[in-house]
Amino acid sequence: MSVALSSTGRQGGSTKRLMRRRIASVVMVSLTCVAAAIAVVPLIAILGYLLRKGAASLSLSFFTHMPAPVGEPGGGMANAIIGTLVLIGIAATVGLPVGIGAGLYLAEQRGSRLANLVRYLADVLNGLPSIVMGIFAWEFLVRPFGHFSALAGGAAIGAMMIPLVTRTTEEMVCTVPQSLREAALALGYPRWRTSLQIVLRTALGGIVTGVLVAVARVAGETAPLLFTAFGNQFWSLKLTQPIAALPLQIYVYANSAYDDWHAQAWAGATVLIGLVLVISVIARLVTRARFGGGHD
Amino acid sequence: MTPLPVPTTGPSQEPRSFRHPGPPTGSADASSGTVRRAPVIQGTVIADRVYRLTLVFFALCIPALLLLIFVVVGSAGWPALHHFGFSFLTSSAWDPVNGLFGAAPAIVGTVLTSVIALVVATPLALGGAIFLSEFSPSWLRQPLSFLVDLLAAVPSVVYGVWGMFFFLPLLRTSVMPFLRDTLHLGATPFFSGPIYGPSVLAAGLILAIMVLPYIAAVSREVLVAVPRSQREAALALGATRWETIAGAVIPYARTGIIGGVILGLGRALGETMAVTMLIGNRHELSASLLAPGYTMASLIANEFTEATTDLHKATLMAVGFVLFVMTLVVNAIARLLVRRVSEVRV
Amino acid sequence: MTDLAELRNEARPPTAVSSSGPVMAVQTMGLNAYFGDTHAVRDVTLDIPPNEVTAIIGPSGCGKSTLLRCLNRMHETVPRARVEGSVLLHEQDIYADDVDPITLRRHVGMVFQRPTPFPTMSIRDNVAAGLCVQPERALSRRQVDEVVERALCEAALWDEVKDRLRTSATGISGGQQQRLCIARALATSPHVLLLDEPTASLDPMSTQKIEELVYELRRTMTVVIVTHNMQQAARVSDRTVFMLSGEMVEAAPTRDMFTTPGDPRTEAYITGRFG
């Protein structure tokens, strides 16, 4: 690769040893390049395959129709899409206040012992297997009530949002210069107004982006919903009843033996990844606008 | 004249007073303006205190949640752990009808798939991270790291669907026969036996794809954090570009990279959906990677709703508890390593 | 248009004389300030008379900013910071237990070294920001607009921004931003205005404007300005305080300080022999 060749050592000495070292260097550098290329291959394969398979199965009726019985072509996942939106709504109600509150705490108490501990545990919680969250929510929110419910599912993925939202909020609040905080305090702002009206508002763009990314992440979560929201073949918006969800439906359909359902699973996967893609691009643009130009 | 926000001046000696509408405090100089005891002032102090306490409350939710999960899942799994004792971890029995359960195949499967994932993903991720931080032309850096981030954001179930319909057929028809027959690895116990498709190997490989972006992202971060002086010192000694990386940069970033790999291990251990869809779900201890198996996560995902007896449910809870503790330890170690590196940077 | 400044002067009775002499706007007594183990301000006792501009000069790191930040209790917002001794504002101890620092800061305005407009607010809202947090003053929109206009006029910024009051405060130049911050501090009509090297990051033209402004402000309030620029202190202040390594070396009328300094260290500093 030309990049690699251009600046390998320029110290004179034309001994064979130097030559060997140079060749070794070029080989290794090329290998890292190959590794990078291989790392990207699966993504391209997934996107390409989804586009080919998914786009073929995707139609307007996928968004507007209920699932069709086995053997009947067509149908859609309208109930699952709405169900996922409902679940995200519950998750945000659970996860956002805690996540943003904890993030603000971490940013404002930087360096305190409790803050360090909470930050560490938030990172650990972030690595919690989603299936563990699923059985926890079942034991805690399903078993005592005797039935699966949208609330339990939403709470489970809401809990998974908390560490994500906490860390982004902290990160974004820390980019707000200390001088701004001092200016507000010197003007007679109480701390809580300084924190909410000046600091949080200034960091809001970044936090919204972080929240979107967290939403995209949990929107695709399946494992925590298996034994909580459970899924539902019918139209249901009752929060205390089982509710359909896009990732659950994809899982069930993909595992089925019918080609029609496989096609539906593809379509659902395409919608999910489309959501992730759009949010990631938005997040990228917002972060770039934030850190690229403007005032420091 | 319009009202102005100028405080009214009382009969005090002071040009402008702090007086608030509240009653005087009763002290000797109560007639002069004071800053004292205005109800409004007190309110503000309370609001700040309430705000602070609210934030502390939210912050404490995180440790509380972890503790709650530990207690709830642990106590739900306790009957099984108590019933089977240590043999729960070593037995490979799985007989729901007679109430005999052992988690050994699932534990072995979990470890095996994770090891395959790390063995495959680490060199690729590290190579990619080195390329991104050291050699990549700047125009390629942004889009490439964006793609890697995107790879981390793809939902597990989508990997599963892709794995079932694209990756598995590919493995079954070309990769597995190639490994077993062309390379004659079938002679070893690890690649012997019939080719089903769904297998420990397939699950391990899909996990490799899934944890790769995590390892790459952390490695890149710690590589970028290596001070320029380290590189320049090595280059100034006459090292080639690769010798600089291998001799100066990687040793400096080693702790963080190991942390990143362990973080990937944490992900691999707990990954559920894609693995469930690709591992074949069979309760057997087999040396062959081509044979179907189970991981702890996929075992729970697959059997939890079908578990009818209390002991069966408790067993799955116990499996979840073991998984929880494993990932907790792994993540705790990984975060310590990664944190130490980023602290050095700050 | 009514001149806010004049109005304030009318509203103010002539400075009364109490039994212990003229009432000082600010007095510090045995003031010590610390950052953790660092002793930043050492035993400073200082009188700041009302309606004058007092300049605090000294080499960087001498504690002059810290001293200033003790006067509106901003020092204590820094982690591990501590204050001992007392500060009287019109004879009331601002470090007394029952004083709320937030209310105090509404009466002691402050402007920092670098302009700090609130980026999410318009120019108008920036100026009005301090008004909005004063619970005892519920002002109508129109009243707020009037205060904003007067404050901007006082800060000599009105003509430059009157057509863009609704636009973002980050869109104006650094000098304008700093005057905006002064306007923001003036809008709440503080008793005392603290300026912490307000021109350190500005160009000469903007600096001149702000110096003229400071000179005018003493008609209506007490001004304390920290500066590392001796010429600036000489131009704008009535009294000058010289600090060195956290200690107050000398406080005197500016003219005396620069012509006949009382302490050899002061003389050394203002003649440029060290620092």
Side-chain angles (χ1 to χ4, degrees):
Chain A
M1 205 174 153
S2 63
V3 196
L5 284 167
S6 59
S7 63
T8 25
R10 206 172 269 179
Q11 293 75 9
S14 57
T15 59
K16 273 184 185 155
R17 228 178 109 243
L18 182 59
M19 206 55 203
R20 255 207 318 274
R21 284 170 53 203
R22 279 186 174 177
I23 290 170
S25 177
V26 171
V27 167
M28 291 311 288
V29 170
S30 315
L31 277 182
T32 68
C33 175
V34 171
I38 293 177
V40 180
V41 163
L43 183 71
I44 292 168
I46 291 175
L47 285 181
Y49 204 66
L50 274 182
L51 277 183
R52 220 178 63 220
K53 283 273 196 176
S57 340
L58 207 54
S59 64
L60 192 63
S61 67
F62 180 83
F63 296 95
T64 57
H65 282 58
M66 294 291 293
V70 179
E72 272 180 41
M77 291 198 186
N79 60 339
I81 290 169
I82 296 295
T84 286
L85 292 180
V86 169
L87 287 171
I88 288 175
I90 300 170
T93 315
V94 174
L96 289 192
V98 179
I100 292 178
L104 272 173
Y105 177 82
L106 293 188
E108 305 217 330
Q109 302 292 319
R110 246 184 135 68
S112 87
R113 260 208 203 145
L114 180 63
N116 285 339
L117 178 75
V118 169
R119 188 178 301 113
Y120 181 65
L121 291 182
D123 286 342
V124 171
L125 184 63
N126 194 21
L128 181 84
S130 49
I131 190 78
V132 172
M133 187 62 88
I135 54 172
F136 162 70
W138 181 84
E139 182 73 25
F140 197 61
L141 295 171
V142 173
R143 184 139 109 151
F145 300 99
H147 52 82
F148 301 111
S149 70
L151 281 176
I157 60 173
M160 307 217 65
M161 271 176 84
I162 291 175
L164 295 170
V165 175
T166 300
R167 296 294 267 132
T168 352
T169 304
E170 186 199 357
E171 222 167 88
M172 289 303 149
V173 166
C174 283
T175 63
V176 176
Q178 190 62 26
S179 61
L180 221 54
R181 238 165 279 212
E182 294 205 326
L185 285 176
L187 217 50
Y189 272 66
R191 277 192 181 270
W192 70 273
R193 292 186 83 141
T194 307
S195 183
L196 292 180
Q197 292 183 332
I198 304 296
V199 176
L200 195 61
R201 221 174 113 183
T202 306
L204 202 62
I207 294 174
V208 167
T209 313
V211 167
L212 277 179
V213 170
V215 163
R217 178 78 54 86
V218 300
E221 280 292 354
T222 318
L225 301 180
L226 286 171
F227 334 118
T228 52
F230 192 67
N232 194 329
Q233 280 293 307
F234 306 102
W235 185 264
S236 168
L237 290 178
K238 286 206 195 78
L239 298 188
T240 53
Q241 293 302 316
I243 197 168
L246 202 49
L248 277 180
Q249 205 109 326
I250 294 170
Y251 174 60
V252 172
Y253 277 25
N255 271 328
S256 74
Y258 316 109
D259 281 344
D260 287 343
W261 281 16
H262 290 170
Q264 292 281 308
W266 278 116
T270 312
V271 170
L272 260 192
I273 212 162
L275 180 78
V276 170
L277 204 68
V278 167
I279 289 178
S280 301
V281 170
I282 291 175
R284 198 79 178 178
L285 291 179
V286 170
T287 355
R288 187 177 294 176
R290 221 181 129 68
F291 299 108
H295 56 94
D296 51 336
Chain B
M1 197 191 81
T2 48
L4 287 168
V6 176
T8 48
T9 310
S12 72
Q13 321 152 326
E14 290 175 26
R16 294 143 89 204
S17 75
F18 281 165
R19 189 123 33 83
H20 289 276
T25 55
S27 63
D29 59 351
S31 62
S32 70
T34 63
V35 239
R36 280 154 208 163
R37 304 242 169 95
V40 189
I41 297 180
Q42 300 290 338
T44 313
V45 171
I46 288 171
D48 267 0
R49 214 165 273 169
V50 168
Y51 178 69
R52 211 196 135 103
L53 284 178
T54 314
L55 291 194
V56 171
F57 169 77
F58 284 137
L60 286 178
C61 280
I62 290 172
L65 182 62
L66 266 175
L67 196 67
L68 194 66
I69 295 173
F70 188 86
V71 170
V72 167
V73 176
S75 59
W78 178 246
L81 290 173
H82 184 69
H83 187 264
F84 297 112
F86 191 71
S87 75
F88 179 73
L89 300 177
T90 53
S91 157
S92 59
W94 196 265
D95 187 352
V97 181
N98 294 314
L100 283 177
F101 300 102
I107 295 175
V108 171
T110 303
V111 173
L112 218 52
T113 48
S114 300
V115 167
I116 294 174
L118 289 191
V119 167
V120 175
T122 303
L124 290 176
L126 197 53
I130 293 172
F131 176 75
L132 269 178
S133 74
E134 312 290 328
F135 309 127
S136 164
S138 53
W139 58 266
L140 196 62
R141 198 162 288 161
Q142 282 273 337
L144 213 53
S145 45
F146 177 65
L147 280 182
V148 173
D149 287 350
L150 206 57
L151 206 56
V154 173
S156 174
V157 71
V158 173
Y159 276 111
V161 172
W162 178 76
M164 278 178 90
F165 297 116
F166 176 78
F167 196 51
L168 268 191
L170 183 78
L171 287 180
R172 190 171 49 226
T173 53
S174 46
V175 177
M176 287 176 175
F178 173 77
L179 287 174
R180 190 185 63 175
D181 305 329
T182 318
L183 292 183
H184 296 289
L185 289 174
T188 67
F190 305 116
F191 291 91
S192 58
I195 292 173
Y196 298 95
S199 58
V200 173
L201 181 68
L205 290 177
I206 200 89
L207 275 180
I209 297 175
M210 296 178 75
V211 299
L212 191 151
Y214 287 97
I215 303 177
V218 176
S219 305
R220 194 175 86 94
E221 210 168 288
V222 294
L223 285 174
V224 169
V226 174
R228 270 190 77 79
S229 56
Q230 294 284 322
R231 289 179 187 125
E232 281 164 1
L235 284 172
L237 288 173
T240 62
R241 288 192 91 176
W242 175 251
E243 285 162 354
T244 306
I245 304 298
V249 176
I250 291 182
Y252 193 93
R254 191 176 49 210
T255 317
I257 292 172
I258 294 172
V261 173
I262 300 178
L263 213 59
L265 175 64
R267 291 272 153 190
L269 290 174
E271 192 46 64
T272 313
M273 299 318 293
V275 173
T276 308
M277 292 161 95
L278 293 186
I279 200 166
N281 300 329
R282 184 192 285 182
H283 262 292
E284 243 168 53
L285 271 176
S286 166
S288 174
L289 301 180
L290 302 180
Y294 245 142
T295 67
M296 290 189 269
S298 63
L299 173 64
I300 301 170
N302 226 24
E303 296 205 356
F304 196 81
T305 45
E306 292 156 19
T308 44
T309 65
D310 281 348
L311 189 61
H312 196 176
K313 271 252 159 53
T315 302
L316 294 173
M317 280 288 180
V319 171
F321 185 69
V322 173
L323 175 63
F324 177 53
V325 172
M326 274 172 76
T327 51
L328 209 62
V329 171
V330 165
N331 275 311
I333 294 171
R335 288 296 174 184
L336 273 182
L337 294 176
V338 175
R339 169 133 319 150
R340 217 164 53 200
V341 171
S342 38
E343 264 166 15
V344 167
R345 183 175 40 170
V346 175
Chain C
M1 196 192 75
T2 329
D3 184 358
L4 183 62
E6 262 173 32
L7 207 110
R8 281 189 197 148
N9 269 347
E10 278 167 352
R12 171 179 304 183
T15 311
V17 177
S18 74
S19 55
S20 58
V23 173
M24 287 295 154
V26 179
Q27 286 172 287
T28 72
M29 291 174 187
L31 185 71
N32 285 283
Y34 306 82
F35 292 101
D37 299 330
T38 317
H39 197 167
V41 172
R42 292 163 191 267
D43 204 24
V44 170
T45 299
L46 169 68
D47 288 353
I48 296 173
N51 287 69
E52 283 192 6
V53 175
T54 301
I56 306 178
I57 61 170
S60 56
C62 70
K64 51 192 195 298
S65 283
T66 309
L67 173 61
L68 193 75
R69 290 165 64 93
C70 288
L71 305 185
N72 66 344
R73 296 184 62 172
M74 279 301 286
H75 178 63
E76 69 198 39
T77 64
V78 180
R80 308 210 324 129
R82 213 152 39 87
V83 176
E84 285 165 7
S86 59
V87 176
L88 305 187
L89 179 70
H90 293 275
E91 299 192 320
Q92 301 161 69
D93 187 356
I94 65 169
Y95 285 96
D97 287 341
D98 52 359
V99 169
D100 174 25
I102 289 157
T103 313
L104 168 75
R105 289 182 201 130
R106 286 177 196 152
H107 297 283
V108 184
M110 187 166 200
V111 174
F112 298 86
Q113 192 168 353
R114 307 193 70 189
T116 52
F118 299 136
T120 55
M121 297 185 188
S122 67
I123 292 173
R124 176 203 177 269
D125 291 348
N126 255 284
V127 180
L131 295 174
C132 302
V133 288
Q134 308 217 358
E136 68 272 27
R137 290 185 194 161
L139 297 179
S140 73
R141 249 194 119 63
R142 228 177 43 124
Q143 287 169 324
V144 171
D145 282 338
E146 275 167 23
V147 176
V148 168
E149 177 172 345
R150 291 203 179 104
L152 283 170
C153 285
E154 282 188 311
L157 189 60
W158 174 253
D159 290 331
E160 293 163 57
V161 299
K162 64 184 175 197
D163 301 323
R164 49 203 282 206
L165 291 174
R166 306 275 160 193
T167 60
S168 166
T170 51
I172 54 181
S173 75
Q176 289 172 325
Q177 285 183 11
Q178 191 63 309
R179 276 180 285 148
L180 177 68
C181 291
I182 295 178
R184 188 170 67 189
L186 294 178
T188 57
S189 20
H191 295 238
V192 179
L193 183 64
L194 309 176
L195 302 166
D196 189 358
E197 305 205 19
T199 60
S201 61
L202 300 183
D203 59 286
M205 280 300 290
S206 305
T207 301
Q208 194 194 340
K209 279 194 169 155
I210 286 176
E211 285 181 5
E212 286 167 6
L213 180 60
V214 170
Y215 199 77
E216 286 296 309
L217 284 176
R218 74 171 130 193
R219 285 169 55 212
T220 53
M221 63 188 65
T222 308
V223 179
V224 185
I225 178 169
V226 162
T227 176
H228 62 259
N229 178 337
M230 277 176 286
Q231 284 72 36
Q232 187 169 60
R235 281 193 298 266
V236 302
S237 70
D238 302 297
R239 291 175 66 80
T240 299
V241 177
F242 172 60
M243 288 189 68
L244 192 62
S245 327
E247 284 175 41
M248 189 183 85
V249 174
E250 191 174 356
T254 301
R255 185 175 305 192
D256 300 349
M257 173 86 82
F258 284 97
T259 49
T260 52
D263 190 292
R265 288 171 293 174
T266 317
E267 190 181 355
Y269 181 67
I270 60 181
T271 52
R273 263 184 275 145
F274 72 87

